[in-house]
Amino acid sequence: MNRLTTIVLATALGCMGVLAAGPAAGASARFGCQYKVLWPTAGVYEDPNPNSVVVKTKHAGDIVGASTCEGAGHNEYGYVLVTTDAAADGRGWMREDAVVQI
């Protein structure tokens, strides 16, 4: 319930122009890592490697993230952790090139 209240309040304040670049950055750190999807479509992988199963697809403009900031690599690919119900453990991975941190 507290997270929902916080999201509603943050949305309302953002619409009113109360949040600026400084406070938004601080809020992001308190709520973990949030990313905006850049690619037209980007897969959410079960594990952080290109041969893993894609459990979900996200689209440009979608906001994704997790309560902790984690990354992983496989060969030349970098991945960031995102929360998803579609993954067996609730942890999905997206290519870091497909997103930008907000």
Side-chain angles (χ1 to χ4, degrees), residues 7-23:
I7 291 169
V8 169
L9 180 59
T11 301
L13 291 175
C15 290
M16 293 178 355
V18 174
L19 297 177

Side-chain angles (χ1 to χ4, degrees), residues 14-53:
C15 290
M16 293 178 355
V18 174
L19 297 177
S28 178
R30 280 182 272 145
F31 295 119
C33 287
Q34 300 295 307
Y35 305 94
K36 182 176 181 179
V37 177
L38 299 174
W39 291 357
T41 59
V44 178
Y45 296 87
E46 181 76 36
D47 297 306
N49 75 67
N51 298 319
S52 180
V53 174

Side-chain angles (χ1 to χ4, degrees), residues 32-86:
C33 287
Q34 300 295 307
Y35 305 94
K36 182 176 181 179
V37 177
L38 299 174
W39 291 357
T41 59
V44 178
Y45 296 87
E46 181 76 36
D47 297 306
N49 75 67
N51 298 319
S52 180
V53 174
V54 174
V55 294
K56 191 175 230 179
T57 301
K58 290 298 196 173
H59 304 280
D62 287 350
I63 305 299
V64 297
S67 60
T68 61
C69 300
E70 291 184 43
H74 185 274
N75 294 334
E76 72 271 19
Y77 300 109
Y79 294 85
V80 295
L81 177 67
V82 296
T83 302
T84 179
D85 292 337

